[in-house]
Amino acid sequence: MDPGLIGRGGEINAICAFMSATSGAPAALAITGDIGIGKTMVWRHVVRTASRSSRVLSCQPALSERPLSFSALHDLLGEVAVEILSVLPSSRRTAVQAMLLGGTSSRPYSTDCSDAFRPSRERQVLARGVLDTLQALSAEAPLIIAVDDAQWLDRPSAGVLEFCSRRLHSEPVTFLLTFREESQVFPLGLDRVLPPDQLRRVRLGPLSPGSISEIFRSRLETIPPRHVRTRLYEACGGNPFYALECARALLEHPHLPLASEPIPIPVPRSLSDLMRRRVRQLTPNARRVGRLVAASSNPRERIIRAACDEGESWAAIDQAVDDGIIERQGDVLRFTHPLLRSVLYGEMRLSERRKVHQLLGAAAEDMEERAGHLALAADRPNENIAGMLDEAARHAASRGAPEDAAASQEQAIRLTTVGQLEKVRERTVRAADYHFRAGDLTRSRELIHSALASSPPGPLRAPLLLRLATIHYHQNGWPLAEQTFREAAQEASKDCAHRAHAEQELAFARLVAGDLPSASRWAKLSLRSAERAADPRLVAHSLARVALFEFLKGNGIRPDLLERAEALDASAGEEPIGRLPMLDPSLATGVVLKWCDRLDEARRRLADRYRQSLDRGEEVSLPFLLYHFSELECWAGNWDTAEEYALEGCRVADESHQLPMRPATLYALALVRAHRGLVQDARELATEALALCDRTGNVPLTSLVVSVLGFLALSVNDYQAAHSRLAPLAEASAAGGLREPSVVKFLPNEIEALAALGEVDLARSLTRQLEERGKSLGRRWALATGARCRAHLAALDGDQQGALAACEQALSYHQHLPMPFELGRTLLVRGMIERRARYKSVARDSLSQALGIFEHLGAPLWADKARRELSKIALQTSVDGLTCTELRIADLIAQGQTNREVASAMFVTENTVQTHVRHIFQKLGVRSRTELAARFRFTVASETLASRFSAKQTWADLPAPRASVEDLPMNITDLGDSSTCTRNYAHSHDLYKAHPGGRRSVKRNLRSTKEL
Ligand SMILES: Nc1ncnc2c1ncn2[C@@H]1O[C@H](COP(=O)(O)OP(=O)(O)O)[C@@H](O)[C@H]1O
Ligand SMILES: [Mg+2]
């Protein structure tokens, strides 16, 4: 896809499919659509793609060149001039040459368009020459004649091309044209000469809102906030060119419009001229209706009629429909072109607009609409209308439209009577809260600053500072947020409620700074303040934090605290608009469940929370949720979904300018891409995330990002790099008091790296720690991966029995762990150990299962590891044909010994050695000692050889996998049903295969989660 081209995949596929289906014979395809809809962009893309397999002659005629005869033909054939002139018969060559030279021969062609089609001999000769050219070129490769804006072809060129098109019968020549919508006739008369199935029009319709936003992102320096984008989209009807022009004009204004202002979209002069001409021709009745419709956000015919002067309304609306500016869609009236609305509204004087809004306000049936119109009709402050707007704002917020609520609230500020300082402050803060929820953090901050400016020091400032600090952590990062929370705590002084709130956030800020002990202290302090304030919601939030930090410190899940927190939170009713917590009790529980391997339960909770945020229009909390969601789905092996959530998170974080949230979503994306083996991609994402973590001050997130880099290094067998990334994380988490095993997901990777580097003691001690904590807390992930690490280390010690027993233990934990990638890794380790122990058939089984899992998930780097192991078994099999003596001899030869040295080492004659060597060569099919050494070294590591010479074990001697984990110590019984992970690892393949993965929208994913 063209790097600048956004969307249009469907249309391009249709075009390419048509072109390849019709490429054997003359065909024509026209891309049509309004000006600026993107015809040229698509045309260019298709031309570029087609030029890989076809010869393309192209031109882009312009209106200004239309009077110049043959300018288009000159552009089309200019490039191939040298090539074609030599093959043309002389008279035709002269004619074509003269045309290409721009008429240096004796003025053969008039610039007068009227005679372009007059049959003159010269023109005939030229046309024949061009036809010869097209035929000659198309004999070598399919030929495409590509004309952008065919309506501007100069008539003589068009005449020649038309002449040719009538004479092409079986040549592979495709005309690829673009032209404006208004022209109904197919250019060059192609519809008259080509059979219908060789002719196609592809009309480019409006782009989607998402694509238009994407275009803004790629073309504009500042991206307008979402509500402005929505209005731009509506005003420009999905036309990218209009949308860009209008956005640029709009961004030049110092203040962006509010959601409630009707048509603030300025139409750039170049575009509006056309519309203005149209509007000028309207009859007074049609114009009156047009203005009413233009001023309405939801123009229903009933309301417009009521707002029109009595009696004439029917006729007036009919007139506007007849004049072609308005069309009826059921009860709704719409402009035939979206820009008409901007022009009609823009041409009214202020007094006229007020009058129109007055009429609409009187006719409105909906209270939000009425308040909005009356506000725009008012020419001075009016407490009555301001009160209506307060009510309208509450109404809008309760239907999940904080954007609209913010707009009404801002109107209310404007209409507040002079001197009512308290009222202004109150409305300002409420408007700030609505903006915050809608994700417009910048406006929210401006309003809070203005409220702070009018507030004296003392407790009044505390709630404002709390809001400001919250905005900082969403927008600027943690250090500034923490500092502001401290100020808020100081200002709150004896006001326990505000103190509790500030202390809760300070607890979170300390956690983000990597200081868990202090975070825990603040959380406990906040609980005390909240209890003093006797505010159930505050108590609930403090309890949730205390529980979370206890969990992280390794003190297990505290269902007593979490349940109480949730119950209290629920009893406190709807959250007040002024409280904007990042972590509420339900989310805290969801996150804890996620860490504790209870992915299904966690998924349900996060989904509920996500839906709630969507329903309330709370953009601001989405990135944090999406990051957790994405990580969860990555662990669960649903990588398409994980990627989708991460991308959506990045998008929302960008759109709502939440810089500190971006690294979290980048991390989630890097994590899934790392699992997918997209090394470069994942590294770049991680690098960007690290830089942002640094700027915004987030220590735990930095560790997560670094852990992805460590995992990547491990995936490509760069153990040294893996260790140098992961070792500091292991030290920091130990030093920071992070004793919960399930939050140090990087630990098994570090252990594997250490083992590979020969640092066995440290690896063993970390493994012991992981397993001990896993056991005391009942964490299956820790137990499964811990046992896997133990297996690895036992194998290194040559304790095959112990290693295989540990594998079986790990697999029994996997039965209740819905993490297929981890299962794959354990099977890989088991397969490796079995292979080394020479249990070939079971090794092949384990490795094939691992390979199947990695392939199914799409983890190529890990699939390669499994494949490499499998190929070693194949080689081993050939080595297996050797007798014990032959094996010893082969081993010594592989070590570089001569026959004599081998003979003396084995107390046999040199002749005997020679005979054995001959047999070894035959059995292994090798022809030299070097080849033998290479094969042998690759296949059988010396420690494996040693094991082969010892007594043979059989598969039956190995311990059977444990059937259940009933004997696991559990302390999570009160938190709901823990038996949801009932999948047997042998069937887990099919289970997660059946999981509805694939590319679906986030909402659809969530719907299916609800149905779980
Ligand atoms: N699909 C698209 N992706 C990105 N930008 C687009 C797209 N379509 C149109 N544009 C923008 O709109 C402008 C006008 O598009 P263009 O292809 O010239 O329209 P047309 O040829 O239909 O008049 C382009 O310069 C580009 O900035
Ligand atoms: Mg164009």
PDB file of all heavy atoms in Angstrom, residues 55-59 70-85 96-102 126 130 133-134 137 157:
ATOM      1  N   ARG A  55       3.121  -2.707 -18.808  1.00  0.00           N
ATOM      2  CA  ARG A  55       3.682  -1.446 -19.299  1.00  0.00           C
ATOM      3  C   ARG A  55       2.644  -0.375 -19.020  1.00  0.00           C
ATOM      4  O   ARG A  55       1.469  -0.568 -19.324  1.00  0.00           O
ATOM      5  CB  ARG A  55       3.895  -1.599 -20.815  1.00  0.00           C
ATOM      6  CG  ARG A  55       4.573  -0.439 -21.474  1.00  0.00           C
ATOM      7  CD  ARG A  55       6.002  -0.429 -20.977  1.00  0.00           C
ATOM      8  NE  ARG A  55       6.820   0.560 -21.607  1.00  0.00           N
ATOM      9  CZ  ARG A  55       7.647   0.300 -22.625  1.00  0.00           C
ATOM     10  NH1 ARG A  55       7.719  -0.896 -23.160  1.00  0.00           N
ATOM     11  NH2 ARG A  55       8.407   1.261 -23.106  1.00  0.00           N
ATOM     12  N   VAL A  56       3.036   0.731 -18.413  1.00  0.00           N
ATOM     13  CA  VAL A  56       2.039   1.764 -18.125  1.00  0.00           C
ATOM     14  C   VAL A  56       2.411   3.062 -18.838  1.00  0.00           C
ATOM     15  O   VAL A  56       3.538   3.542 -18.737  1.00  0.00           O
ATOM     16  CB  VAL A  56       1.936   2.046 -16.607  1.00  0.00           C
ATOM     17  CG1 VAL A  56       0.877   3.100 -16.335  1.00  0.00           C
ATOM     18  CG2 VAL A  56       1.607   0.777 -15.838  1.00  0.00           C
ATOM     19  N   LEU A  57       1.440   3.603 -19.600  1.00  0.00           N
ATOM     20  CA  LEU A  57       1.606   4.949 -20.160  1.00  0.00           C
ATOM     21  C   LEU A  57       0.648   5.829 -19.389  1.00  0.00           C
ATOM     22  O   LEU A  57      -0.544   5.519 -19.304  1.00  0.00           O
ATOM     23  CB  LEU A  57       1.220   4.971 -21.635  1.00  0.00           C
ATOM     24  CG  LEU A  57       1.953   3.974 -22.547  1.00  0.00           C
ATOM     25  CD1 LEU A  57       1.448   4.110 -23.985  1.00  0.00           C
ATOM     26  CD2 LEU A  57       3.466   4.220 -22.497  1.00  0.00           C
ATOM     27  N   SER A  58       1.148   6.892 -18.790  1.00  0.00           N
ATOM     28  CA  SER A  58       0.210   7.665 -17.975  1.00  0.00           C
ATOM     29  C   SER A  58       0.314   9.152 -18.225  1.00  0.00           C
ATOM     30  O   SER A  58       1.334   9.652 -18.710  1.00  0.00           O
ATOM     31  CB  SER A  58       0.468   7.388 -16.492  1.00  0.00           C
ATOM     32  OG  SER A  58       1.702   7.934 -16.130  1.00  0.00           O
ATOM     33  N   CYS A  59      -0.773   9.845 -17.938  1.00  0.00           N
ATOM     34  CA  CYS A  59      -0.755  11.304 -17.996  1.00  0.00           C
ATOM     35  C   CYS A  59      -1.785  11.858 -17.026  1.00  0.00           C
ATOM     36  O   CYS A  59      -2.723  11.167 -16.635  1.00  0.00           O
ATOM     37  CB  CYS A  59      -1.029  11.806 -19.405  1.00  0.00           C
ATOM     38  SG  CYS A  59      -2.693  11.477 -19.972  1.00  0.00           S
ATOM     39  N   PHE A  70      -2.940  18.043 -28.088  1.00  0.00           N
ATOM     40  CA  PHE A  70      -2.067  16.870 -27.944  1.00  0.00           C
ATOM     41  C   PHE A  70      -1.159  16.902 -26.730  1.00  0.00           C
ATOM     42  O   PHE A  70      -0.215  16.135 -26.636  1.00  0.00           O
ATOM     43  CB  PHE A  70      -1.220  16.665 -29.208  1.00  0.00           C
ATOM     44  CG  PHE A  70      -2.078  16.359 -30.402  1.00  0.00           C
ATOM     45  CD1 PHE A  70      -2.114  17.215 -31.484  1.00  0.00           C
ATOM     46  CD2 PHE A  70      -2.877  15.214 -30.416  1.00  0.00           C
ATOM     47  CE1 PHE A  70      -2.931  16.937 -32.564  1.00  0.00           C
ATOM     48  CE2 PHE A  70      -3.694  14.950 -31.507  1.00  0.00           C
ATOM     49  CZ  PHE A  70      -3.727  15.820 -32.580  1.00  0.00           C
ATOM     50  N   SER A  71      -1.450  17.805 -25.798  1.00  0.00           N
ATOM     51  CA  SER A  71      -0.576  17.827 -24.614  1.00  0.00           C
ATOM     52  C   SER A  71      -0.650  16.494 -23.872  1.00  0.00           C
ATOM     53  O   SER A  71       0.364  15.974 -23.403  1.00  0.00           O
ATOM     54  CB  SER A  71      -0.936  18.992 -23.688  1.00  0.00           C
ATOM     55  OG  SER A  71      -2.318  18.983 -23.437  1.00  0.00           O
ATOM     56  N   ALA A  72      -1.833  15.933 -23.796  1.00  0.00           N
ATOM     57  CA  ALA A  72      -1.979  14.670 -23.047  1.00  0.00           C
ATOM     58  C   ALA A  72      -1.274  13.536 -23.782  1.00  0.00           C
ATOM     59  O   ALA A  72      -0.557  12.732 -23.177  1.00  0.00           O
ATOM     60  CB  ALA A  72      -3.451  14.349 -22.866  1.00  0.00           C
ATOM     61  N   LEU A  73      -1.473  13.482 -25.096  1.00  0.00           N
ATOM     62  CA  LEU A  73      -0.855  12.409 -25.883  1.00  0.00           C
ATOM     63  C   LEU A  73       0.672  12.506 -25.792  1.00  0.00           C
ATOM     64  O   LEU A  73       1.376  11.498 -25.706  1.00  0.00           O
ATOM     65  CB  LEU A  73      -1.314  12.556 -27.337  1.00  0.00           C
ATOM     66  CG  LEU A  73      -1.394  11.279 -28.152  1.00  0.00           C
ATOM     67  CD1 LEU A  73      -2.186  10.206 -27.432  1.00  0.00           C
ATOM     68  CD2 LEU A  73      -2.024  11.571 -29.508  1.00  0.00           C
ATOM     69  N   HIS A  74       1.131  13.738 -25.774  1.00  0.00           N
ATOM     70  CA  HIS A  74       2.564  13.980 -25.651  1.00  0.00           C
ATOM     71  C   HIS A  74       3.077  13.376 -24.327  1.00  0.00           C
ATOM     72  O   HIS A  74       4.091  12.673 -24.293  1.00  0.00           O
ATOM     73  CB  HIS A  74       2.806  15.493 -25.694  1.00  0.00           C
ATOM     74  CG  HIS A  74       4.244  15.860 -25.695  1.00  0.00           C
ATOM     75  ND1 HIS A  74       5.005  15.840 -24.542  1.00  0.00           N
ATOM     76  CD2 HIS A  74       5.069  16.269 -26.688  1.00  0.00           C
ATOM     77  CE1 HIS A  74       6.237  16.202 -24.836  1.00  0.00           C
ATOM     78  NE2 HIS A  74       6.303  16.468 -26.142  1.00  0.00           N
ATOM     79  N   ASP A  75       2.326  13.630 -23.257  1.00  0.00           N
ATOM     80  CA  ASP A  75       2.745  13.074 -21.958  1.00  0.00           C
ATOM     81  C   ASP A  75       2.689  11.548 -21.954  1.00  0.00           C
ATOM     82  O   ASP A  75       3.552  10.882 -21.394  1.00  0.00           O
ATOM     83  CB  ASP A  75       1.822  13.583 -20.835  1.00  0.00           C
ATOM     84  CG  ASP A  75       2.047  15.057 -20.576  1.00  0.00           C
ATOM     85  OD1 ASP A  75       3.033  15.594 -21.087  1.00  0.00           O
ATOM     86  OD2 ASP A  75       1.208  15.668 -19.876  1.00  0.00           O
ATOM     87  N   LEU A  76       1.650  11.026 -22.616  1.00  0.00           N
ATOM     88  CA  LEU A  76       1.475   9.569 -22.617  1.00  0.00           C
ATOM     89  C   LEU A  76       2.616   8.874 -23.343  1.00  0.00           C
ATOM     90  O   LEU A  76       3.147   7.868 -22.888  1.00  0.00           O
ATOM     91  CB  LEU A  76       0.170   9.204 -23.329  1.00  0.00           C
ATOM     92  CG  LEU A  76      -1.126   9.153 -22.521  1.00  0.00           C
ATOM     93  CD1 LEU A  76      -2.286   8.793 -23.437  1.00  0.00           C
ATOM     94  CD2 LEU A  76      -1.030   8.122 -21.407  1.00  0.00           C
ATOM     95  N   LEU A  77       2.972   9.437 -24.509  1.00  0.00           N
ATOM     96  CA  LEU A  77       3.922   8.715 -25.359  1.00  0.00           C
ATOM     97  C   LEU A  77       5.361   9.202 -25.249  1.00  0.00           C
ATOM     98  O   LEU A  77       6.273   8.579 -25.787  1.00  0.00           O
ATOM     99  CB  LEU A  77       3.470   8.799 -26.817  1.00  0.00           C
ATOM    100  CG  LEU A  77       2.104   8.146 -27.109  1.00  0.00           C
ATOM    101  CD1 LEU A  77       1.758   8.288 -28.577  1.00  0.00           C
ATOM    102  CD2 LEU A  77       2.104   6.685 -26.716  1.00  0.00           C
ATOM    103  N   GLY A  78       5.542  10.333 -24.548  1.00  0.00           N
ATOM    104  CA  GLY A  78       6.877  10.943 -24.476  1.00  0.00           C
ATOM    105  C   GLY A  78       7.963   9.950 -24.067  1.00  0.00           C
ATOM    106  O   GLY A  78       9.015   9.865 -24.688  1.00  0.00           O
ATOM    107  N   GLU A  79       7.660   9.180 -23.061  1.00  0.00           N
ATOM    108  CA  GLU A  79       8.671   8.278 -22.501  1.00  0.00           C
ATOM    109  C   GLU A  79       9.104   7.170 -23.459  1.00  0.00           C
ATOM    110  O   GLU A  79      10.214   6.672 -23.397  1.00  0.00           O
ATOM    111  CB  GLU A  79       8.083   7.603 -21.263  1.00  0.00           C
ATOM    112  CG  GLU A  79       8.732   8.044 -20.001  1.00  0.00           C
ATOM    113  CD  GLU A  79       8.148   7.314 -18.828  1.00  0.00           C
ATOM    114  OE1 GLU A  79       8.168   6.072 -18.825  1.00  0.00           O
ATOM    115  OE2 GLU A  79       7.630   8.006 -17.931  1.00  0.00           O
ATOM    116  N   VAL A  80       8.151   6.779 -24.338  1.00  0.00           N
ATOM    117  CA  VAL A  80       8.475   5.645 -25.204  1.00  0.00           C
ATOM    118  C   VAL A  80       8.850   6.091 -26.612  1.00  0.00           C
ATOM    119  O   VAL A  80       8.962   5.278 -27.523  1.00  0.00           O
ATOM    120  CB  VAL A  80       7.283   4.649 -25.268  1.00  0.00           C
ATOM    121  CG1 VAL A  80       7.150   3.904 -23.967  1.00  0.00           C
ATOM    122  CG2 VAL A  80       5.991   5.349 -25.616  1.00  0.00           C
ATOM    123  N   ALA A  81       9.040   7.401 -26.776  1.00  0.00           N
ATOM    124  CA  ALA A  81       9.257   7.961 -28.099  1.00  0.00           C
ATOM    125  C   ALA A  81      10.348   7.225 -28.887  1.00  0.00           C
ATOM    126  O   ALA A  81      10.109   6.713 -29.975  1.00  0.00           O
ATOM    127  CB  ALA A  81       9.592   9.444 -27.969  1.00  0.00           C
ATOM    128  N   VAL A  82      11.511   7.120 -28.275  1.00  0.00           N
ATOM    129  CA  VAL A  82      12.658   6.556 -28.982  1.00  0.00           C
ATOM    130  C   VAL A  82      12.336   5.133 -29.428  1.00  0.00           C
ATOM    131  O   VAL A  82      12.573   4.730 -30.570  1.00  0.00           O
ATOM    132  CB  VAL A  82      13.883   6.553 -28.065  1.00  0.00           C
ATOM    133  CG1 VAL A  82      15.091   5.971 -28.768  1.00  0.00           C
ATOM    134  CG2 VAL A  82      14.151   7.962 -27.571  1.00  0.00           C
ATOM    135  N   GLU A  83      11.750   4.416 -28.508  1.00  0.00           N
ATOM    136  CA  GLU A  83      11.449   3.011 -28.749  1.00  0.00           C
ATOM    137  C   GLU A  83      10.463   2.830 -29.909  1.00  0.00           C
ATOM    138  O   GLU A  83      10.621   1.957 -30.738  1.00  0.00           O
ATOM    139  CB  GLU A  83      10.825   2.506 -27.444  1.00  0.00           C
ATOM    140  CG  GLU A  83      10.779   1.044 -27.250  1.00  0.00           C
ATOM    141  CD  GLU A  83      10.111   0.772 -25.886  1.00  0.00           C
ATOM    142  OE1 GLU A  83      10.306   1.578 -24.939  1.00  0.00           O
ATOM    143  OE2 GLU A  83       9.398  -0.208 -25.809  1.00  0.00           O
ATOM    144  N   ILE A  84       9.458   3.720 -29.968  1.00  0.00           N
ATOM    145  CA  ILE A  84       8.396   3.451 -30.950  1.00  0.00           C
ATOM    146  C   ILE A  84       8.682   4.032 -32.314  1.00  0.00           C
ATOM    147  O   ILE A  84       8.309   3.458 -33.334  1.00  0.00           O
ATOM    148  CB  ILE A  84       7.026   3.985 -30.465  1.00  0.00           C
ATOM    149  CG1 ILE A  84       7.128   5.468 -30.116  1.00  0.00           C
ATOM    150  CG2 ILE A  84       6.492   3.180 -29.316  1.00  0.00           C
ATOM    151  CD1 ILE A  84       5.796   6.115 -29.869  1.00  0.00           C
ATOM    152  N   LEU A  85       9.382   5.154 -32.325  1.00  0.00           N
ATOM    153  CA  LEU A  85       9.532   5.808 -33.619  1.00  0.00           C
ATOM    154  C   LEU A  85      10.238   4.902 -34.622  1.00  0.00           C
ATOM    155  O   LEU A  85       9.895   4.872 -35.805  1.00  0.00           O
ATOM    156  CB  LEU A  85      10.288   7.130 -33.461  1.00  0.00           C
ATOM    157  CG  LEU A  85       9.446   8.219 -32.785  1.00  0.00           C
ATOM    158  CD1 LEU A  85      10.270   9.473 -32.521  1.00  0.00           C
ATOM    159  CD2 LEU A  85       8.222   8.568 -33.628  1.00  0.00           C
ATOM    160  N   VAL A  96       3.767  11.130 -35.779  1.00  0.00           N
ATOM    161  CA  VAL A  96       3.916  10.971 -34.325  1.00  0.00           C
ATOM    162  C   VAL A  96       5.059  11.857 -33.822  1.00  0.00           C
ATOM    163  O   VAL A  96       4.942  12.534 -32.796  1.00  0.00           O
ATOM    164  CB  VAL A  96       4.166   9.486 -33.958  1.00  0.00           C
ATOM    165  CG1 VAL A  96       4.512   9.342 -32.477  1.00  0.00           C
ATOM    166  CG2 VAL A  96       2.945   8.648 -34.294  1.00  0.00           C
ATOM    167  N   GLN A  97       6.115  11.882 -34.607  1.00  0.00           N
ATOM    168  CA  GLN A  97       7.277  12.692 -34.214  1.00  0.00           C
ATOM    169  C   GLN A  97       6.889  14.169 -34.130  1.00  0.00           C
ATOM    170  O   GLN A  97       7.237  14.855 -33.166  1.00  0.00           O
ATOM    171  CB  GLN A  97       8.351  12.515 -35.275  1.00  0.00           C
ATOM    172  CG  GLN A  97       9.719  12.908 -34.803  1.00  0.00           C
ATOM    173  CD  GLN A  97      10.775  12.361 -35.765  1.00  0.00           C
ATOM    174  OE1 GLN A  97      10.471  12.036 -36.938  1.00  0.00           O
ATOM    175  NE2 GLN A  97      11.985  12.246 -35.287  1.00  0.00           N
ATOM    176  N   ALA A  98       6.133  14.592 -35.101  1.00  0.00           N
ATOM    177  CA  ALA A  98       5.726  16.002 -35.118  1.00  0.00           C
ATOM    178  C   ALA A  98       4.876  16.311 -33.891  1.00  0.00           C
ATOM    179  O   ALA A  98       5.052  17.337 -33.219  1.00  0.00           O
ATOM    180  CB  ALA A  98       4.932  16.292 -36.388  1.00  0.00           C
ATOM    181  N   MET A  99       3.982  15.366 -33.564  1.00  0.00           N
ATOM    182  CA  MET A  99       3.134  15.577 -32.384  1.00  0.00           C
ATOM    183  C   MET A  99       4.013  15.632 -31.122  1.00  0.00           C
ATOM    184  O   MET A  99       3.853  16.495 -30.260  1.00  0.00           O
ATOM    185  CB  MET A  99       2.116  14.435 -32.307  1.00  0.00           C
ATOM    186  CG  MET A  99       1.176  14.475 -31.125  1.00  0.00           C
ATOM    187  SD  MET A  99       1.876  13.702 -29.673  1.00  0.00           S
ATOM    188  CE  MET A  99       1.927  12.004 -30.167  1.00  0.00           C
ATOM    189  N   LEU A 100       4.973  14.712 -31.055  1.00  0.00           N
ATOM    190  CA  LEU A 100       5.821  14.667 -29.861  1.00  0.00           C
ATOM    191  C   LEU A 100       6.704  15.892 -29.739  1.00  0.00           C
ATOM    192  O   LEU A 100       7.045  16.323 -28.647  1.00  0.00           O
ATOM    193  CB  LEU A 100       6.696  13.408 -29.885  1.00  0.00           C
ATOM    194  CG  LEU A 100       5.939  12.101 -29.634  1.00  0.00           C
ATOM    195  CD1 LEU A 100       6.849  10.910 -29.846  1.00  0.00           C
ATOM    196  CD2 LEU A 100       5.358  12.075 -28.226  1.00  0.00           C
ATOM    197  N   LEU A 101       7.047  16.449 -30.900  1.00  0.00           N
ATOM    198  CA  LEU A 101       7.890  17.646 -30.852  1.00  0.00           C
ATOM    199  C   LEU A 101       7.061  18.905 -30.641  1.00  0.00           C
ATOM    200  O   LEU A 101       7.561  20.010 -30.737  1.00  0.00           O
ATOM    201  CB  LEU A 101       8.706  17.761 -32.136  1.00  0.00           C
ATOM    202  CG  LEU A 101       9.770  16.672 -32.308  1.00  0.00           C
ATOM    203  CD1 LEU A 101      10.435  16.791 -33.667  1.00  0.00           C
ATOM    204  CD2 LEU A 101      10.806  16.754 -31.208  1.00  0.00           C
ATOM    205  N   GLY A 102       5.799  18.706 -30.455  1.00  0.00           N
ATOM    206  CA  GLY A 102       4.946  19.857 -30.145  1.00  0.00           C
ATOM    207  C   GLY A 102       4.624  20.689 -31.360  1.00  0.00           C
ATOM    208  O   GLY A 102       4.496  21.905 -31.283  1.00  0.00           O
ATOM    209  N   LEU A 126      -1.683  10.303 -37.880  1.00  0.00           N
ATOM    210  CA  LEU A 126      -1.201  10.309 -36.492  1.00  0.00           C
ATOM    211  C   LEU A 126      -1.921   9.241 -35.667  1.00  0.00           C
ATOM    212  O   LEU A 126      -1.302   8.456 -34.944  1.00  0.00           O
ATOM    213  CB  LEU A 126      -1.440  11.688 -35.862  1.00  0.00           C
ATOM    214  CG  LEU A 126      -1.184  11.718 -34.353  1.00  0.00           C
ATOM    215  CD1 LEU A 126       0.295  11.563 -34.034  1.00  0.00           C
ATOM    216  CD2 LEU A 126      -1.701  13.016 -33.744  1.00  0.00           C
ATOM    217  N   VAL A 130      -0.370   6.164 -33.619  1.00  0.00           N
ATOM    218  CA  VAL A 130      -0.542   5.889 -32.174  1.00  0.00           C
ATOM    219  C   VAL A 130      -1.092   4.489 -31.976  1.00  0.00           C
ATOM    220  O   VAL A 130      -0.647   3.737 -31.100  1.00  0.00           O
ATOM    221  CB  VAL A 130      -1.465   6.952 -31.530  1.00  0.00           C
ATOM    222  CG1 VAL A 130      -1.770   6.593 -30.088  1.00  0.00           C
ATOM    223  CG2 VAL A 130      -0.813   8.330 -31.601  1.00  0.00           C
ATOM    224  N   THR A 133       1.517   2.069 -32.316  1.00  0.00           N
ATOM    225  CA  THR A 133       2.336   2.093 -31.104  1.00  0.00           C
ATOM    226  C   THR A 133       1.713   1.244 -30.002  1.00  0.00           C
ATOM    227  O   THR A 133       2.380   0.425 -29.360  1.00  0.00           O
ATOM    228  CB  THR A 133       2.461   3.545 -30.601  1.00  0.00           C
ATOM    229  OG1 THR A 133       2.971   4.318 -31.664  1.00  0.00           O
ATOM    230  CG2 THR A 133       3.375   3.646 -29.401  1.00  0.00           C
ATOM    231  N   LEU A 134       0.430   1.466 -29.777  1.00  0.00           N
ATOM    232  CA  LEU A 134      -0.243   0.734 -28.702  1.00  0.00           C
ATOM    233  C   LEU A 134      -0.204  -0.766 -28.983  1.00  0.00           C
ATOM    234  O   LEU A 134       0.014  -1.581 -28.078  1.00  0.00           O
ATOM    235  CB  LEU A 134      -1.694   1.205 -28.539  1.00  0.00           C
ATOM    236  CG  LEU A 134      -1.895   2.688 -28.242  1.00  0.00           C
ATOM    237  CD1 LEU A 134      -3.371   2.984 -27.939  1.00  0.00           C
ATOM    238  CD2 LEU A 134      -1.028   3.152 -27.067  1.00  0.00           C
ATOM    239  N   LEU A 137       3.389  -2.081 -28.409  1.00  0.00           N
ATOM    240  CA  LEU A 137       3.741  -2.175 -26.992  1.00  0.00           C
ATOM    241  C   LEU A 137       2.982  -3.300 -26.298  1.00  0.00           C
ATOM    242  O   LEU A 137       3.530  -4.038 -25.483  1.00  0.00           O
ATOM    243  CB  LEU A 137       3.457  -0.847 -26.280  1.00  0.00           C
ATOM    244  CG  LEU A 137       4.361   0.328 -26.669  1.00  0.00           C
ATOM    245  CD1 LEU A 137       3.878   1.611 -25.995  1.00  0.00           C
ATOM    246  CD2 LEU A 137       5.813   0.068 -26.262  1.00  0.00           C
ATOM    247  N   SER A 157      -6.199  14.976 -28.272  1.00  0.00           N
ATOM    248  CA  SER A 157      -5.680  13.731 -27.678  1.00  0.00           C
ATOM    249  C   SER A 157      -6.822  12.758 -27.473  1.00  0.00           C
ATOM    250  O   SER A 157      -6.710  11.553 -27.771  1.00  0.00           O
ATOM    251  CB  SER A 157      -5.030  14.001 -26.319  1.00  0.00           C
ATOM    252  OG  SER A 157      -3.886  14.770 -26.460  1.00  0.00           O
TER     253      SER A 157
END
